[in-house]
Amino acid sequence: MESFTLSQASPVESPKIKEKYDHFIGGKFVAPSSGEYFENISPIDGKVFSKAARGNKADIEKALDAAHKAFPSWSKTSAAERSKLLNKIADVIEANLEMLARVETIDNGKALRETRAADLPLVIDHFRYFAGVIRADESTISEHDENTVSIALHEPLGVVAQIIPWNFPLLMATWKIAPALAAGCCTVVKPAEQTPTSIMILMELIGDILPPGVLNVVTGFGVEAGKPLASSPRVAKVSFTGETTTGRLIMQYASENLVPVTMELGGKSPNIFMKSVADADDDFFDKAVEGAVMFALNQGEVCTCPSRILVHEDIYDKFMDRVIARTKAIKMGHPLAEDTMMGAQASKDQYEKILSYMDIGKQEGATVLTGGAEASLNNGLEEGYYIQPTIFKGHNKMRIFQEEIFGPVVCVTTFKTTEEAIEIANDTMYGLGAGLWSRDAHELYQVPRAIQAGRVWVNCYHAYPAHAPFGGYKKSGFGRENHLMMLSHYRQTKNMLISYSKEKLGFF
Amino acid sequence: METIKRVLITEPAKEVIDTLRKRFGSELMFHQSGGCCDGSSPMCFEKGDFKVGSQDVWLGEVYGCDFFMSADQFEYWKHTQLTLDVTPGRGSSFSIEIPMGIRFMIRSKLFTTEELKILSPVVTGEEKLSER
């Protein structure tokens, strides 16, 4: 039996996408100084659909010039004005949601139903959230004695560098851009090589809302554009989402410049299903089954992909039978078809990497419960990067249980006791996300507290509201994204320590 | 006694290394990444550009390039033999082959019980650097 279901609908029309896109610097589209562009391949069919400017150090310097020029006035722009502009950006994106959702699908390969229902709505809400919080944000003041007052005032850091991943190109850009702009920083953004187009189409829509230089986007390769940006002494902070080696390299550069960094470096998130989950075959049980199949969201290309299912051994059969059936019902097909549930992996090398993990999983003795190979689709999708949603059964010491595959692959193992579940959950280098499913009120609090991860979803998974802080423990990085606490990542504290006394100390 | 190498390399990967050596005019190094996005892929840098230390493990030399991995990651990888290969594809990260439209990647195989007994020794990144 097939391990997935084929979608039936025809793809919707592609929006008009230009042959090539320039950088966005100082409020204008600017051709790359090298004159060179690189091909952007759509994962849908493996074909070139546009080109992106091949940025280099000269382009980065130009963007930094523009950002530094804009900062003195942007940093003093009133909260009301900044809020108004962020809201305007949100309104324009909302008015163009369908077009942007389609572009994002073509650029990244993910299913349209996800870009429509998750990526773009979250982008809009994140801009609105940060537009809102800065209106209510306040600094603090303390009276130390009747003549001494301390004011702790927020000041924006300055010009920041933001390096964006390719799994949610527009949303991850927004997670970084919205709080930086809200805080009064100017930014130079470097999108990922695999997905440089959707953000440029976004800039065509929102570019003239902000003063020139406040938001600059330079596309290009990591070694040619990312490195000069991350290592520049002219940036006040580097925010990075990606993997551990590049994270360390960016910290190495930051140590030379003595600037702060925030790092979001992925995870190997456990999704724990306690025995009580199967106490009844009801709506909650059904929700938990869906929670386990969430590994297939975004083709598994999520830092918090619930890639390890830990299920109580007594409910294994009942629960996993249902999870396997639900996984097989995932509809694969053209990502622009409205009924497609899972699209293409973002690039050819990701596709190859995922297949290499299937190989090592089998070598290590893991059992394939469903999937376990590429998905050969036809009707023009033959050259696209499609992989069957896959469930392995094995144990937590296997490499497929320890490494972020970043594909639609989940590994299941069982536990006998709560202690064992916690031990397995924490036996990982990472600590970004986790899930806990239970009907027991005590477990609902105690187990999440024992899991070393920055976000524990309790009886839910893969929700990313702007209002909840997100970030990692352990090797998953540090710093948070989302939530108003994000503002503090883009600001420093000016302390004014004021004396209202006219009397000298008498020391000198 | 002959030891078993922890990292092997394919012919196409050797060709890419030759090309990169010429282009950058320097020796190269690899650091195996972990984590999100392009994680779990080997990263290629000009030798010395990525700072290794006491928390890295030197797995050996592959086609004249030092190959490192963080020590905690090595704990989960050490029972497998790695082969450095190359695939077409558009990766991100600061790995220097990416502008060529290709990406280094790792293929893995389990060591046999016999091989596990005679594996080439490892040292920390710090120890490797102090050898010079």
Side-chain angles (χ1 to χ4, degrees):
Chain A
M1 185 186 155
E2 280 286 1
S3 67
F4 61 93
T5 308
L6 278 174
S7 77
Q8 300 300 316
S10 312
V12 300
E13 217 174 292
S14 163
K16 182 112 188 75
I17 295 174
K18 289 180 183 156
E19 196 190 318
K20 64 177 188 189
Y21 289 87
D22 290 327
H23 302 310
F24 186 79
I25 298 173
K28 295 194 297 279
F29 285 92
V30 178
S33 58
S34 66
E36 287 183 47
Y37 295 81
F38 64 96
E39 293 178 337
N40 188 5
I41 294 162
S42 175
I44 295 176
D45 54 10
K47 292 198 179 100
V48 176
F49 74 98
S50 185
K51 287 183 179 177
R54 183 170 175 175
N56 59 20
K57 190 166 194 296
D59 300 314
I60 292 293
E61 290 301 329
K62 213 181 279 179
L64 288 169
D65 288 344
H68 277 281
K69 196 174 162 199
F71 182 69
S73 61
W74 179 247
S75 60
K76 293 189 178 69
T77 302
S78 70
E81 178 69 10
R82 276 181 281 135
S83 174
K84 190 180 87 183
L85 298 181
L86 292 175
N87 272 322
K88 207 164 170 186
I89 289 172
D91 291 346
V92 170
I93 297 172
E94 193 165 48
N96 292 278
L97 188 152
E98 177 64 20
M99 185 273 282
L100 288 168
R102 292 182 187 191
V103 171
E104 190 76 320
T105 286
I106 294 165
D107 206 356
N108 169 279
K110 66 176 79 186
L112 182 63
R113 69 167 197 157
E114 286 182 17
T115 51
R116 274 179 180 170
D119 297 61
L120 269 300
L122 283 169
V123 163
I124 295 160
D125 189 58
H126 272 74
F127 276 108
R128 291 200 172 126
Y129 175 80
F130 282 101
V133 291
I134 52 171
R135 298 302 303 277
D137 176 56
E138 289 179 353
S139 299
T140 59
I141 184 166
S142 55
E143 189 187 67
H144 295 187
D145 57 49
E146 61 177 339
N147 287 317
T148 311
V149 173
S150 167
I151 301 175
L153 197 67
H154 305 305
E155 291 185 346
L157 279 176
V159 172
V160 298
Q162 302 183 310
I163 298 180
I164 315 296
W166 44 261
N167 55 345
F168 295 85
L170 291 176
L171 182 59
M172 293 301 103
T174 301
W175 277 20
K176 296 197 191 303
I177 293 168
L181 300 186
C185 291
C186 295
T187 178
V188 177
V189 173
K190 214 297 267 167
E193 289 84 328
Q194 295 93 328
T195 53
T197 300
S198 60
I199 191 166
M200 286 306 171
I201 292 176
L202 175 69
M203 293 315 298
E204 288 186 325
L205 297 171
I206 66 166
D208 61 356
I209 295 174
L210 296 163
V214 169
L215 169 58
N216 308 277
V217 186
V218 177
T219 52
F221 298 115
V223 64
E224 296 173 357
K227 184 178 173 181
L229 177 61
S231 58
S232 171
R234 300 170 73 201
V235 301
K237 182 224 170 82
V238 184
S239 172
F240 174 68
T241 298
E243 30 65 47
T244 56
T245 297
T246 308
R248 278 178 61 179
L249 197 54
I250 287 171
M251 289 178 73
Q252 184 184 307
Y253 300 144
S255 79
E256 291 164 20
N257 292 322
L258 278 174
V259 294
V261 291
T262 44
M263 295 277 151
E264 202 273 81
L265 304 176
K268 192 68 188 178
S269 303
N271 206 4
I272 307 172
F273 298 88
M274 306 302 284
K275 194 177 171 183
S276 62
V277 165
D279 282 355
D281 190 350
D282 56 0
D283 284 351
F284 178 70
F285 184 72
D286 195 46
K287 184 186 181 190
V289 169
E290 182 190 52
V293 184
M294 280 289 183
F295 77 88
L297 187 89
N298 210 46
Q299 302 81 238
E301 293 169 344
V302 193
C303 305
T304 41
C305 173
S307 53
R308 294 186 293 151
I309 294 176
L310 280 45
V311 58
H312 192 281
E313 61 176 7
D314 290 355
I315 67 166
Y316 176 87
D317 288 335
K318 182 180 176 189
F319 184 69
M320 287 309 296
D321 282 354
R322 203 75 73 85
V323 170
I324 292 166
R326 192 76 62 90
T327 301
K328 286 179 173 167
I330 291 174
K331 286 185 188 169
M332 295 194 72
H334 198 297
L336 282 174
E338 292 181 309
D339 64 339
T340 292
M341 295 162 70
M342 203 180 89
Q345 308 305 138
S347 65
K348 172 80 174 163
D349 58 309
Q350 280 299 316
Y351 171 84
E352 292 291 336
K353 186 175 83 181
I354 296 162
L355 293 178
S356 80
Y357 272 104
M358 299 219 182
D359 178 43
I360 187 77
K362 290 168 194 169
Q363 282 189 55
E364 284 191 292
T367 318
V368 177
L369 300 182
T370 184
E374 69 274 19
S376 303
L377 303 182
N378 42 32
N379 296 324
L381 305 179
E382 292 83 355
E383 301 300 315
Y385 316 136
Y386 300 91
I387 292 194
Q388 298 178 29
T390 295
I391 307 178
F392 276 110
K393 185 174 188 215
H395 63 77
N396 200 54
K397 295 293 179 194
M398 291 175 169
R399 279 185 49 190
I400 51 170
F401 276 80
Q402 290 296 335
E403 292 157 36
E404 191 160 353
I405 299 172
F406 230 58
V409 181
V410 69
C411 304
V412 58
T413 193
T414 57
F415 63 87
K416 290 184 171 65
T417 63
T418 306
E419 292 69 29
E420 192 190 0
I422 292 166
E423 190 194 318
I424 298 171
N426 288 335
D427 179 11
T428 167
M429 288 165 59
Y430 304 102
L432 190 60
L436 185 272
W437 299 79
S438 173
R439 297 176 198 257
D440 181 309
H442 301 279
E443 284 172 357
L444 287 175
Y445 187 76
Q446 287 157 355
V447 177
R449 290 299 307 272
I451 297 173
Q452 293 152 10
R455 159 75 57 84
V456 185
W457 281 279
V458 181
N459 288 341
C460 62
Y461 207 96
H462 268 338
Y464 298 91
H467 205 155
F470 176 86
Y473 282 21
K474 292 158 62 175
K475 292 287 167 79
S476 293
F478 44 84
R480 293 291 177 267
E481 299 202 283
N482 308 335
H483 194 264
L484 70 90
M485 69 169 68
M486 198 54 215
L487 292 173
S488 66
H489 287 25
Y490 288 104
R491 299 193 299 207
Q492 51 196 339
T493 301
K494 168 63 56 66
N495 177 236
M496 292 162 64
L497 192 57
I498 307 163
S499 170
Y500 291 105
S501 166
K502 287 181 176 170
E503 284 174 32
K504 65 183 173 193
L505 291 172
F507 274 12
F508 298 106
Chain B
M1 189 179 75
E2 202 183 324
T3 57
I4 300 291
K5 287 186 170 181
R6 293 173 186 272
V7 192
L8 308 175
I9 183 166
T10 63
E11 287 303 318
K14 282 183 187 174
E15 285 169 27
V16 175
I17 289 175
D18 285 335
T19 307
L20 290 168
R21 276 182 177 140
K22 257 184 231 155
R23 181 173 301 176
F24 285 85
S26 67
E27 285 303 312
L28 309 177
M29 65 180 290
F30 287 88
H31 192 275
Q32 174 64 42
S33 188
C36 182
C37 308
D38 297 78
S40 315
S41 297
M43 303 292 174
C44 181
F45 305 113
E46 289 181 73
K47 186 171 184 170
D49 265 13
F50 183 89
K51 305 276 189 283
V52 293
S54 61
Q55 293 310 308
D56 290 294
V57 172
W58 176 79
L59 280 76
E61 212 173 68
V62 54
Y63 198 49
C65 309
D66 289 327
F67 193 103
F68 298 95
M69 184 186 300
S70 72
D72 46 6
Q73 191 168 338
F74 180 68
E75 279 306 304
Y76 293 110
W77 286 57
K78 62 187 179 188
H79 62 291
T80 54
Q81 186 174 45
L82 312 179
T83 299
L84 187 62
D85 196 6
V86 68
T87 173
R90 174 75 73 224
S92 56
S93 86
F94 292 6
S95 197
I96 63 174
E97 81 285 9
I98 287 172
M100 297 166 68
I102 51 171
R103 189 72 185 87
F104 285 115
M105 67 173 291
I106 287 292
R107 300 190 189 279
S108 311
K109 119 178 166 39
L110 295 190
F111 286 121
T112 63
T113 321
E114 288 310 305
E115 286 172 334
L116 282 169
K117 290 175 191 157
I118 50 167
L119 287 180
S120 65
V122 296
V123 295
T124 68
E126 193 175 26
E127 286 163 347
K128 184 65 194 165
L129 292 181
S130 65
E131 282 174 14
R132 288 166 195 143

